[in-house]
Amino acid sequence: MAGRIRNEDIALVRERSPIADVVGEYLQLRNAGGGNLKGLCPFHDEKSPSFNVTPARGLWFCFGCSNGGDVIKFVQEIDHLSFTEAVERLAAKAGIQLRYEDGGPTPRRDAGQRARLVEAHRVAAEFYAEQLATPEAVVGRRFLAERGFEAADAEHFGVGYAPREWEALVRHLRGRGFADRELVTAGLAKEGRRGPIDRFRGRLMWPIRDLSGDVIGFGARKLYDDDGTAKYLNTPETPLFHKGSVLYGADLARKEIARRRQAVVVEGYTDVMACHLAGVPTAIATCGTSFGGEHIKILRRLLMDQDEFRGEVIFTFDGDSAGQRAALRAFEEEQKFVTQTFVAVQPDGLDPCDLRVRYGDAAVRDLVASRLPLFEFAIRSRIGDYDLDTAEGRLAALDAAAPVVASIKDRALRQMYAISLDRWLGIMDEQFVLRRVRELAARQRPAARTNGRAGGTGGGGKSDRSHVVL
Ligand SMILES: [Zn+2]
């Protein structure tokens, strides 16, 4: 075990790790006056910012959850690291060579586990990227070319190739001083009959990075027909990689997401690439899981979503039932976010990658521009199944769609959509439609979950309104 890091080195790490920059990698900060910055706290769920940073003193404090400390404490908390690991991580970023009380620079093998696993991923990503140029990887290069990606694009996103061997990567990492146990823990290898074997073989590899840019996992696409395993494989859950809270492309997109106050959620790695290359640099994707609560929190922090500071989250779907279900599920999440949620339905079911290949960059930008508010999308999806040419069909569609409208908590918004619903159905009787929605809302309201947080976050009128029945 390595000794204590020297105090003077710890002080140097603090000095060379500007707190606003480090915190700014995880959440959007804005000026709060008096030399302070504020943003949405990453450690508790909130809608208006109570997370404060004082760059001059190198400190942060959250008035919501009373968590606070210096830059090292922040890194410890946000990435679940020990003190030593946090210092090592900041030192690596700042280019500081740490010295330990035992004397001499510590060999890398003594560094904290997280640093070791991150380093293994960095070396692995480099290895895979180099392999993409080998003769064997021609299938991978063809795959990329057919999807409109050039060598420079692959390089920009760090796309690589995992050779069709049992232990190409294992050998390479052993040669760099990594222990078999570390490779298995990292999810880069798995136990075979005679020791660890490469987890990914004969696949195109996308490095998945955390917000600070460290590679923490891989997404892998199968390339060979005789490969009987799943089309896409991801790194399993590891100390570094938690698929529920990782967004592919977020490291590249986060600045633009903050600047444009927009995030575009697409379905795959190639879609993220296509969007970025087509001029939609705010695209991100989940990795082997559907979009969930943790993803929303990450985006909200990047968008610093609150009453006076609105952002948009645009989901792209091919319009199939899976996509619709995902959109409708958002209703069950909190509605404050839903009103900023949009849906862009892909024409002819073409995902952004196919769209770009077929119709060019402008078509991808058009797809994003053609977004519909989630409420409108949800209501129109419901009425799409009915024949609106008959009175019976219009009534049935009304009964199908009214519960969706009735579930809108914001009273004014509910009223607006009730009026729109009348127009979309062609009933031409707003009062009739409003009455139907009102009846349903009255029935739904007492049973609806009460939102305990709504009143206490300083949001004001909007949350109060949500409990009033039409
Ligand atoms: Zn907090």
Side-chain angles (χ1 to χ4, degrees), residues 86-122:
V87 174
E88 284 170 342
R89 179 163 188 191
L90 288 168
K93 290 244 146 108
I96 297 167
Q97 178 74 56
L98 293 173
R99 290 160 305 166
Y100 294 75
E101 292 294 359
D102 291 352
T106 182
R108 292 297 296 167
R109 66 173 64 253
D110 289 331
Q113 186 197 45
R114 188 194 150 91
R116 292 285 298 166
L117 301 187
V118 166
E119 178 64 9
H121 275 87
R122 192 189 64 75

mmCIF file of all heavy atoms in Angstrom, residues 86-122:
data_model
loop_
_atom_site.group_PDB
_atom_site.id
_atom_site.type_symbol
_atom_site.label_atom_id
_atom_site.label_comp_id
_atom_site.label_asym_id
_atom_site.label_seq_id
_atom_site.Cartn_x
_atom_site.Cartn_y
_atom_site.Cartn_z
ATOM 1 N N ALA A 86 -9.439 10.758 -5.070
ATOM 2 C CA ALA A 86 -9.855 12.068 -5.585
ATOM 3 C C ALA A 86 -8.643 12.945 -5.857
ATOM 4 O O ALA A 86 -8.560 13.603 -6.902
ATOM 5 C CB ALA A 86 -10.801 12.749 -4.593
ATOM 6 N N VAL A 87 -7.685 12.929 -4.929
ATOM 7 C CA VAL A 87 -6.469 13.735 -5.127
ATOM 8 C C VAL A 87 -5.706 13.223 -6.350
ATOM 9 O O VAL A 87 -5.239 14.001 -7.193
ATOM 10 C CB VAL A 87 -5.560 13.679 -3.871
ATOM 11 C CG1 VAL A 87 -4.233 14.386 -4.137
ATOM 12 C CG2 VAL A 87 -6.266 14.307 -2.678
ATOM 13 N N GLU A 88 -5.628 11.895 -6.483
ATOM 14 C CA GLU A 88 -4.896 11.315 -7.619
ATOM 15 C C GLU A 88 -5.555 11.688 -8.940
ATOM 16 O O GLU A 88 -4.904 11.981 -9.933
ATOM 17 C CB GLU A 88 -4.837 9.795 -7.468
ATOM 18 C CG GLU A 88 -3.815 9.373 -6.419
ATOM 19 C CD GLU A 88 -3.906 7.898 -6.062
ATOM 20 O OE1 GLU A 88 -4.948 7.283 -6.353
ATOM 21 O OE2 GLU A 88 -2.941 7.381 -5.481
ATOM 22 N N ARG A 89 -6.877 11.690 -8.914
ATOM 23 C CA ARG A 89 -7.593 12.021 -10.141
ATOM 24 C C ARG A 89 -7.363 13.474 -10.531
ATOM 25 O O ARG A 89 -7.089 13.793 -11.689
ATOM 26 C CB ARG A 89 -9.075 11.773 -9.923
ATOM 27 C CG ARG A 89 -9.851 12.125 -11.136
ATOM 28 C CD ARG A 89 -11.193 11.522 -11.092
ATOM 29 N NE ARG A 89 -11.811 11.740 -12.372
ATOM 30 C CZ ARG A 89 -13.072 11.526 -12.607
ATOM 31 N NH1 ARG A 89 -13.835 11.065 -11.679
ATOM 32 N NH2 ARG A 89 -13.549 11.762 -13.794
ATOM 33 N N LEU A 90 -7.471 14.378 -9.574
ATOM 34 C CA LEU A 90 -7.246 15.803 -9.859
ATOM 35 C C LEU A 90 -5.804 16.043 -10.269
ATOM 36 O O LEU A 90 -5.521 16.834 -11.168
ATOM 37 C CB LEU A 90 -7.614 16.645 -8.627
ATOM 38 C CG LEU A 90 -9.115 16.768 -8.334
ATOM 39 C CD1 LEU A 90 -9.335 17.365 -6.953
ATOM 40 C CD2 LEU A 90 -9.814 17.612 -9.397
ATOM 41 N N ALA A 91 -4.877 15.335 -9.613
ATOM 42 C CA ALA A 91 -3.457 15.495 -9.929
ATOM 43 C C ALA A 91 -3.184 15.077 -11.372
ATOM 44 O O ALA A 91 -2.457 15.755 -12.107
ATOM 45 C CB ALA A 91 -2.605 14.673 -8.962
ATOM 46 N N ALA A 92 -3.815 13.967 -11.785
ATOM 47 C CA ALA A 92 -3.617 13.489 -13.155
ATOM 48 C C ALA A 92 -4.121 14.525 -14.157
ATOM 49 O O ALA A 92 -3.478 14.804 -15.164
ATOM 50 C CB ALA A 92 -4.342 12.155 -13.347
ATOM 51 N N LYS A 93 -5.258 15.132 -13.860
ATOM 52 C CA LYS A 93 -5.824 16.152 -14.754
ATOM 53 C C LYS A 93 -4.939 17.393 -14.812
ATOM 54 O O LYS A 93 -4.817 18.033 -15.841
ATOM 55 C CB LYS A 93 -7.225 16.562 -14.266
ATOM 56 C CG LYS A 93 -8.254 15.480 -14.458
ATOM 57 C CD LYS A 93 -9.325 15.916 -15.429
ATOM 58 C CE LYS A 93 -9.778 14.742 -16.198
ATOM 59 N NZ LYS A 93 -10.946 14.109 -16.084
ATOM 60 N N ALA A 94 -4.371 17.737 -13.665
ATOM 61 C CA ALA A 94 -3.571 18.962 -13.591
ATOM 62 C C ALA A 94 -2.114 18.713 -13.958
ATOM 63 O O ALA A 94 -1.309 19.638 -13.967
ATOM 64 C CB ALA A 94 -3.674 19.556 -12.183
ATOM 65 N N GLY A 95 -1.763 17.470 -14.262
ATOM 66 C CA GLY A 95 -0.391 17.144 -14.636
ATOM 67 C C GLY A 95 0.586 17.246 -13.471
ATOM 68 O O GLY A 95 1.735 17.632 -13.641
ATOM 69 N N ILE A 96 0.109 16.927 -12.292
ATOM 70 C CA ILE A 96 0.978 16.990 -11.106
ATOM 71 C C ILE A 96 1.443 15.581 -10.736
ATOM 72 O O ILE A 96 0.642 14.669 -10.617
ATOM 73 C CB ILE A 96 0.217 17.607 -9.904
ATOM 74 C CG1 ILE A 96 -0.172 19.059 -10.222
ATOM 75 C CG2 ILE A 96 1.059 17.531 -8.630
ATOM 76 C CD1 ILE A 96 -1.176 19.649 -9.264
ATOM 77 N N GLN A 97 2.756 15.432 -10.573
ATOM 78 C CA GLN A 97 3.320 14.151 -10.162
ATOM 79 C C GLN A 97 3.300 14.087 -8.635
ATOM 80 O O GLN A 97 4.000 14.841 -7.970
ATOM 81 C CB GLN A 97 4.762 14.046 -10.682
ATOM 82 C CG GLN A 97 5.476 12.777 -10.290
ATOM 83 C CD GLN A 97 4.962 11.574 -11.083
ATOM 84 O OE1 GLN A 97 4.968 11.576 -12.314
ATOM 85 N NE2 GLN A 97 4.490 10.555 -10.364
ATOM 86 N N LEU A 98 2.485 13.211 -8.094
ATOM 87 C CA LEU A 98 2.356 13.151 -6.634
ATOM 88 C C LEU A 98 3.533 12.416 -6.005
ATOM 89 O O LEU A 98 4.055 11.464 -6.581
ATOM 90 C CB LEU A 98 1.049 12.449 -6.248
ATOM 91 C CG LEU A 98 -0.250 13.166 -6.594
ATOM 92 C CD1 LEU A 98 -1.437 12.271 -6.294
ATOM 93 C CD2 LEU A 98 -0.369 14.485 -5.840
ATOM 94 N N ARG A 99 3.904 12.867 -4.832
ATOM 95 C CA ARG A 99 4.902 12.142 -4.053
ATOM 96 C C ARG A 99 4.243 11.652 -2.768
ATOM 97 O O ARG A 99 3.364 12.324 -2.232
ATOM 98 C CB ARG A 99 6.087 13.052 -3.728
ATOM 99 C CG ARG A 99 6.933 13.386 -4.964
ATOM 100 C CD ARG A 99 7.757 14.631 -4.730
ATOM 101 N NE ARG A 99 6.904 15.752 -4.324
ATOM 102 C CZ ARG A 99 7.376 16.870 -3.793
ATOM 103 N NH1 ARG A 99 8.664 17.021 -3.576
ATOM 104 N NH2 ARG A 99 6.550 17.862 -3.458
ATOM 105 N N TYR A 100 4.685 10.497 -2.305
ATOM 106 C CA TYR A 100 4.083 9.899 -1.120
ATOM 107 C C TYR A 100 5.074 9.908 0.025
ATOM 108 O O TYR A 100 6.290 9.932 -0.204
ATOM 109 C CB TYR A 100 3.617 8.480 -1.434
ATOM 110 C CG TYR A 100 2.478 8.459 -2.430
ATOM 111 C CD1 TYR A 100 2.710 8.710 -3.783
ATOM 112 C CD2 TYR A 100 1.177 8.217 -2.020
ATOM 113 C CE1 TYR A 100 1.670 8.726 -4.693
ATOM 114 C CE2 TYR A 100 0.123 8.219 -2.926
ATOM 115 C CZ TYR A 100 0.376 8.471 -4.259
ATOM 116 O OH TYR A 100 -0.653 8.489 -5.154
ATOM 117 N N GLU A 101 4.560 9.894 1.236
ATOM 118 C CA GLU A 101 5.429 10.008 2.420
ATOM 119 C C GLU A 101 6.474 8.914 2.471
ATOM 120 O O GLU A 101 7.563 9.105 2.977
ATOM 121 C CB GLU A 101 4.591 9.983 3.708
ATOM 122 C CG GLU A 101 3.704 11.218 3.901
ATOM 123 C CD GLU A 101 4.498 12.501 4.102
ATOM 124 O OE1 GLU A 101 5.743 12.461 4.107
ATOM 125 O OE2 GLU A 101 3.861 13.574 4.241
ATOM 126 N N ASP A 102 6.150 7.736 1.911
ATOM 127 C CA ASP A 102 7.114 6.632 1.903
ATOM 128 C C ASP A 102 8.330 6.928 1.051
ATOM 129 O O ASP A 102 9.314 6.231 1.102
ATOM 130 C CB ASP A 102 6.451 5.346 1.433
ATOM 131 C CG ASP A 102 5.447 4.839 2.461
ATOM 132 O OD1 ASP A 102 5.395 5.385 3.564
ATOM 133 O OD2 ASP A 102 4.702 3.903 2.122
ATOM 134 N N GLY A 103 8.216 7.994 0.242
ATOM 135 C CA GLY A 103 9.339 8.412 -0.567
ATOM 136 C C GLY A 103 9.209 7.989 -2.012
ATOM 137 O O GLY A 103 8.702 6.917 -2.308
ATOM 138 N N GLY A 104 9.666 8.861 -2.903
ATOM 139 C CA GLY A 104 9.681 8.558 -4.334
ATOM 140 C C GLY A 104 8.296 8.614 -4.947
ATOM 141 O O GLY A 104 7.296 8.524 -4.240
ATOM 142 N N PRO A 105 8.252 8.788 -6.262
ATOM 143 C CA PRO A 105 6.954 8.783 -6.925
ATOM 144 C C PRO A 105 6.347 7.396 -6.823
ATOM 145 O O PRO A 105 7.034 6.398 -6.930
ATOM 146 C CB PRO A 105 7.292 9.141 -8.374
ATOM 147 C CG PRO A 105 8.731 8.820 -8.533
ATOM 148 C CD PRO A 105 9.367 8.902 -7.174
ATOM 149 N N THR A 106 5.055 7.351 -6.560
ATOM 150 C CA THR A 106 4.425 6.058 -6.372
ATOM 151 C C THR A 106 4.277 5.357 -7.722
ATOM 152 O O THR A 106 3.975 5.991 -8.716
ATOM 153 C CB THR A 106 3.040 6.217 -5.736
ATOM 154 O OG1 THR A 106 2.493 4.926 -5.528
ATOM 155 C CG2 THR A 106 2.101 7.002 -6.622
ATOM 156 N N PRO A 107 4.562 4.054 -7.753
ATOM 157 C CA PRO A 107 4.280 3.348 -9.006
ATOM 158 C C PRO A 107 2.776 3.335 -9.258
ATOM 159 O O PRO A 107 1.993 3.326 -8.311
ATOM 160 C CB PRO A 107 4.816 1.939 -8.748
ATOM 161 C CG PRO A 107 4.956 1.807 -7.270
ATOM 162 C CD PRO A 107 5.058 3.176 -6.706
ATOM 163 N N ARG A 108 2.374 3.346 -10.516
ATOM 164 C CA ARG A 108 0.954 3.438 -10.842
ATOM 165 C C ARG A 108 0.133 2.330 -10.186
ATOM 166 O O ARG A 108 -1.027 2.511 -9.896
ATOM 167 C CB ARG A 108 0.737 3.412 -12.356
ATOM 168 C CG ARG A 108 1.238 4.627 -13.085
ATOM 169 C CD ARG A 108 0.518 5.893 -12.648
ATOM 170 N NE ARG A 108 -0.913 5.867 -12.978
ATOM 171 C CZ ARG A 108 -1.782 6.731 -12.476
ATOM 172 N NH1 ARG A 108 -1.394 7.643 -11.627
ATOM 173 N NH2 ARG A 108 -3.049 6.658 -12.829
ATOM 174 N N ARG A 109 0.776 1.155 -9.961
ATOM 175 C CA ARG A 109 -0.016 0.026 -9.459
ATOM 176 C C ARG A 109 -0.544 0.290 -8.054
ATOM 177 O O ARG A 109 -1.426 -0.382 -7.583
ATOM 178 C CB ARG A 109 0.766 -1.274 -9.519
ATOM 179 C CG ARG A 109 1.968 -1.341 -8.596
ATOM 180 C CD ARG A 109 2.574 -2.739 -8.623
ATOM 181 N NE ARG A 109 3.114 -3.097 -9.937
ATOM 182 C CZ ARG A 109 2.547 -3.967 -10.753
ATOM 183 N NH1 ARG A 109 1.431 -4.554 -10.419
ATOM 184 N NH2 ARG A 109 3.085 -4.238 -11.914
ATOM 185 N N ASP A 110 0.030 1.299 -7.375
ATOM 186 C CA ASP A 110 -0.427 1.581 -6.027
ATOM 187 C C ASP A 110 -1.546 2.616 -5.988
ATOM 188 O O ASP A 110 -2.084 2.911 -4.939
ATOM 189 C CB ASP A 110 0.728 2.069 -5.166
ATOM 190 C CG ASP A 110 1.689 0.926 -4.859
ATOM 191 O OD1 ASP A 110 1.222 -0.236 -4.806
ATOM 192 O OD2 ASP A 110 2.882 1.187 -4.722
ATOM 193 N N ALA A 111 -1.837 3.156 -7.140
ATOM 194 C CA ALA A 111 -2.879 4.171 -7.172
ATOM 195 C C ALA A 111 -4.212 3.540 -6.784
ATOM 196 O O ALA A 111 -4.363 2.327 -6.754
ATOM 197 C CB ALA A 111 -2.970 4.782 -8.562
ATOM 198 N N GLY A 112 -5.192 4.364 -6.456
ATOM 199 C CA GLY A 112 -6.510 3.872 -6.075
ATOM 200 C C GLY A 112 -7.130 3.046 -7.188
ATOM 201 O O GLY A 112 -6.744 3.153 -8.353
ATOM 202 N N GLN A 113 -8.100 2.227 -6.818
ATOM 203 C CA GLN A 113 -8.689 1.316 -7.801
ATOM 204 C C GLN A 113 -9.313 2.059 -8.981
ATOM 205 O O GLN A 113 -9.126 1.691 -10.127
ATOM 206 C CB GLN A 113 -9.761 0.444 -7.135
ATOM 207 C CG GLN A 113 -10.281 -0.612 -8.096
ATOM 208 C CD GLN A 113 -11.599 -1.212 -7.643
ATOM 209 O OE1 GLN A 113 -12.518 -0.525 -7.220
ATOM 210 N NE2 GLN A 113 -11.686 -2.524 -7.733
ATOM 211 N N ARG A 114 -10.039 3.121 -8.673
ATOM 212 C CA ARG A 114 -10.705 3.827 -9.752
ATOM 213 C C ARG A 114 -9.696 4.340 -10.784
ATOM 214 O O ARG A 114 -9.880 4.189 -11.995
ATOM 215 C CB ARG A 114 -11.513 5.006 -9.210
ATOM 216 C CG ARG A 114 -12.369 5.623 -10.297
ATOM 217 C CD ARG A 114 -12.936 6.970 -9.959
ATOM 218 N NE ARG A 114 -13.070 7.724 -11.201
ATOM 219 C CZ ARG A 114 -14.168 7.726 -11.936
ATOM 220 N NH1 ARG A 114 -15.215 7.077 -11.572
ATOM 221 N NH2 ARG A 114 -14.201 8.393 -13.078
ATOM 222 N N ALA A 115 -8.613 4.928 -10.288
ATOM 223 C CA ALA A 115 -7.595 5.453 -11.196
ATOM 224 C C ALA A 115 -7.024 4.330 -12.063
ATOM 225 O O ALA A 115 -6.763 4.518 -13.250
ATOM 226 C CB ALA A 115 -6.494 6.141 -10.398
ATOM 227 N N ARG A 116 -6.834 3.165 -11.444
ATOM 228 C CA ARG A 116 -6.323 2.008 -12.196
ATOM 229 C C ARG A 116 -7.290 1.602 -13.297
ATOM 230 O O ARG A 116 -6.908 1.306 -14.417
ATOM 231 C CB ARG A 116 -6.117 0.816 -11.253
ATOM 232 C CG ARG A 116 -5.005 1.008 -10.243
ATOM 233 C CD ARG A 116 -3.650 0.872 -10.863
ATOM 234 N NE ARG A 116 -3.406 -0.461 -11.427
ATOM 235 C CZ ARG A 116 -2.398 -0.737 -12.252
ATOM 236 N NH1 ARG A 116 -1.560 0.216 -12.608
ATOM 237 N NH2 ARG A 116 -2.230 -1.955 -12.718
ATOM 238 N N LEU A 117 -8.568 1.532 -12.958
ATOM 239 C CA LEU A 117 -9.551 1.084 -13.943
ATOM 240 C C LEU A 117 -9.700 2.104 -15.068
ATOM 241 O O LEU A 117 -9.877 1.746 -16.230
ATOM 242 C CB LEU A 117 -10.905 0.812 -13.259
ATOM 243 C CG LEU A 117 -10.905 -0.248 -12.146
ATOM 244 C CD1 LEU A 117 -12.330 -0.540 -11.692
ATOM 245 C CD2 LEU A 117 -10.208 -1.537 -12.571
ATOM 246 N N VAL A 118 -9.624 3.383 -14.695
ATOM 247 C CA VAL A 118 -9.697 4.432 -15.725
ATOM 248 C C VAL A 118 -8.494 4.321 -16.659
ATOM 249 O O VAL A 118 -8.619 4.413 -17.884
ATOM 250 C CB VAL A 118 -9.768 5.842 -15.075
ATOM 251 C CG1 VAL A 118 -9.504 6.933 -16.106
ATOM 252 C CG2 VAL A 118 -11.127 6.054 -14.407
ATOM 253 N N GLU A 119 -7.339 4.084 -16.077
ATOM 254 C CA GLU A 119 -6.121 3.952 -16.885
ATOM 255 C C GLU A 119 -6.221 2.732 -17.815
ATOM 256 O O GLU A 119 -5.840 2.801 -18.985
ATOM 257 C CB GLU A 119 -4.896 3.855 -15.947
ATOM 258 C CG GLU A 119 -3.552 3.662 -16.636
ATOM 259 C CD GLU A 119 -3.132 4.838 -17.519
ATOM 260 O OE1 GLU A 119 -3.802 5.894 -17.478
ATOM 261 O OE2 GLU A 119 -2.139 4.681 -18.259
ATOM 262 N N ALA A 120 -6.758 1.636 -17.284
ATOM 263 C CA ALA A 120 -6.933 0.440 -18.120
ATOM 264 C C ALA A 120 -7.847 0.746 -19.305
ATOM 265 O O ALA A 120 -7.596 0.315 -20.434
ATOM 266 C CB ALA A 120 -7.508 -0.709 -17.285
ATOM 267 N N HIS A 121 -8.893 1.511 -19.050
ATOM 268 C CA HIS A 121 -9.811 1.883 -20.132
ATOM 269 C C HIS A 121 -9.142 2.797 -21.148
ATOM 270 O O HIS A 121 -9.386 2.692 -22.345
ATOM 271 C CB HIS A 121 -11.069 2.549 -19.560
ATOM 272 C CG HIS A 121 -12.106 1.566 -19.131
ATOM 273 N ND1 HIS A 121 -12.127 1.001 -17.888
ATOM 274 C CD2 HIS A 121 -13.156 1.026 -19.808
ATOM 275 C CE1 HIS A 121 -13.148 0.162 -17.797
ATOM 276 N NE2 HIS A 121 -13.776 0.144 -18.947
ATOM 277 N N ARG A 122 -8.327 3.711 -20.644
ATOM 278 C CA ARG A 122 -7.635 4.622 -21.559
ATOM 279 C C ARG A 122 -6.731 3.824 -22.505
ATOM 280 O O ARG A 122 -6.751 4.017 -23.713
ATOM 281 C CB ARG A 122 -6.803 5.644 -20.759
ATOM 282 C CG ARG A 122 -6.270 6.801 -21.595
ATOM 283 C CD ARG A 122 -5.283 7.657 -20.801
ATOM 284 N NE ARG A 122 -4.074 6.913 -20.429
ATOM 285 C CZ ARG A 122 -3.097 6.600 -21.284
ATOM 286 N NH1 ARG A 122 -3.177 6.976 -22.552
ATOM 287 N NH2 ARG A 122 -2.052 5.906 -20.874
#
